Amino acid sequence: MLLVAAGASAAPAFADGHDSFTIKDPRIVESSGLAASRAHPGVYWTHNDQDKGAFLYAVDSKTGETVATVTMTGVGSPRDVEAISVGSDGNLYVGDIGDNMGGTWSNVWIYKLPEPKELKDQTIRATQYVVKYADGARDAEALMVHPKTGRIYIADKKEQGGSLYEGPAEMSASRTNVFKKIADTDMWVTDGAFSPDGRQLALREYFGGASFAWKGAGKAPEREERLSVPFQRQGESVTYTTDGTTLMYGTEGAQSKVTSVEVSGRGGGSDSGSGEGSSGGGDGGAGVDGDFKTGAIALAAVLLAFFGLKRLLRKK
């Protein structure tokens, strides 16, 4: 997951959080999840996928500096933290859901903790949920909390095309929570995010992505548009800005850049309803097609062979 806090944190220079920025903290070298803070405008939560402790980092997008490090307690030793999402209930949801060994863990975990009201280095006790899939273990890197219902969803990561899983209406801390498949994504998903109004679900891959119209609990979302995903070293994360007008794409690596891409059509404003809508693909420029399977395949093979193999060997 993430690394330790060092010293007191400076107060953030609040920004609107729509501009690209670089994460400057030398401890954050494997940023694999990203979530826009609801309590602190312009701040983004992130974490490493492997860490010597249960740490979350609040990064001020105006400066790229870490303004708070949260140490989670009550969660044991995180194994492979891959995702983070902010719920409308004011809680952070952290997905310890990675399984690079091909689905060998008997279960994975989700951690829930209140988003701190004050940005400072602190320790917060989290609730730990045990999670299994109805159709067997799998690797996953995308966890999304629906902003209206609070229901948790996980998209697994399969090169041949993965699936979307829905959690129970109410999560239990005392028993195993079984996630059930509700749809095929036909994507190699590395992260995902709901728009603030709950109408769209954005799923990204390393070299592309797609926007889906949300149809409600238990229903397969409808694929709408391709997302304009920027070329990145190892594209691992995505989140909407709090007003739904922009998607922020993150990558692993030291001094990693978070790249903003404006959402086409109307935004996903947080004061809208949760029905159908038409949003999705980004503007032109630095993006690639969501169904991008050719042309970049050689580049993908080289990058994943180098970075993916290093990561896999490290996790052994």
Side-chain angles (χ1 to χ4, degrees):
M1 209 176 170
L2 317 167
L3 313 174
V4 264
S9 300
F14 290 128
D16 61 10
H18 290 71
D19 297 329
S20 301
F21 64 95
T22 298
I23 297 175
K24 296 179 180 179
D25 193 328
R27 300 169 299 169
I28 305 173
V29 295
E30 294 179 327
S31 174
S32 58
L34 193 68
S37 170
R38 302 290 174 84
H40 308 286
V43 168
Y44 288 85
W45 291 98
T46 190
H47 54 81
N48 291 310
D49 68 4
Q50 296 257 314
D51 230 332
K52 297 177 181 178
F55 306 109
L56 304 175
Y57 303 101
V59 179
D60 178 6
S61 63
K62 187 172 183 179
T63 65
E65 301 287 351
T66 298
V67 293
T69 302
V70 170
T71 303
M72 294 186 291
T73 61
V75 301
S77 298
R79 191 164 50 198
D80 189 0
V81 179
E82 293 287 355
I84 186 168
S85 183
V86 182
S88 58
D89 57 1
N91 288 310
L92 299 173
Y93 292 81
V94 182
D96 192 354
I97 55 177
D99 189 348
N100 273 5
M101 305 311 294
T104 57
W105 306 126
S106 60
N107 62 265
V108 292
W109 301 298
I110 294 172
Y111 312 130
K112 181 183 76 173
L113 65 155
E115 182 175 13
K117 295 180 180 179
E118 185 179 358
L119 289 176
K120 64 179 183 178
D121 295 343
Q122 57 194 289
T123 298
I124 299 177
R125 185 168 186 84
T127 301
Q128 177 170 305
Y129 299 113
V130 176
V131 169
K132 289 187 176 181
Y133 303 95
D135 54 356
R138 59 204 56 252
D139 184 26
E141 296 188 1
L143 177 146
M144 299 76 61
V145 180
H146 193 275
K148 300 299 180 181
T149 67
R151 203 154 189 165
I152 304 174
Y153 295 84
I154 294 174
D156 70 353
K157 182 184 179 184
K158 292 182 68 175
E159 186 175 0
Q160 300 80 12
S163 303
L164 181 66
Y165 291 82
E166 182 179 74
E170 292 188 13
M171 298 286 285
S172 171
S174 61
R175 63 178 184 273
T176 299
N177 299 273
V178 179
F179 278 57
K180 299 178 181 180
K181 178 180 174 179
I182 61 170
D184 292 319
T185 63
D186 296 320
M187 295 175 65
W188 194 10
V189 177
T190 61
D191 202 10
F194 280 109
S195 60
D197 63 8
R199 292 172 179 251
Q200 267 70 42
L201 171 64
L203 296 177
R204 75 159 297 174
E205 302 174 285
Y206 286 116
F207 298 100
S211 173
F212 296 79
W214 192 248
K215 298 300 181 180
K219 300 178 182 178
E222 180 182 339
R223 191 178 184 119
E224 287 187 318
E225 298 184 78
R226 300 162 182 166
L227 295 177
S228 184
V229 178
F231 287 106
Q232 294 177 309
R233 172 183 173 180
Q234 187 175 333
E236 291 280 347
S237 60
V238 66
T239 188
Y240 276 90
T241 53
T242 54
D243 64 2
T245 63
T246 305
L247 281 165
M248 307 292 287
Y249 294 95
T251 178
E252 288 195 1
Q255 297 282 304
S256 61
K257 185 176 181 179
V258 176
T259 303
S260 64
V261 178
E262 186 177 346
V263 175
S264 66
R266 61 149 193 87
S270 57
D271 58 351
S272 303
S274 56
E276 300 175 14
S278 60
S279 179
D283 55 6
V288 294
D289 195 284
D291 292 323
F292 190 78
K293 300 299 182 183
T294 61
I297 193 67
L299 176 60
V302 172
L303 290 174
L304 295 177
F306 180 69
F307 296 111
L309 183 58
K310 278 180 61 179
R311 180 175 168 188
L312 182 59
L313 290 176
R314 184 186 67 244
K315 291 184 178 181
K316 290 182 178 180

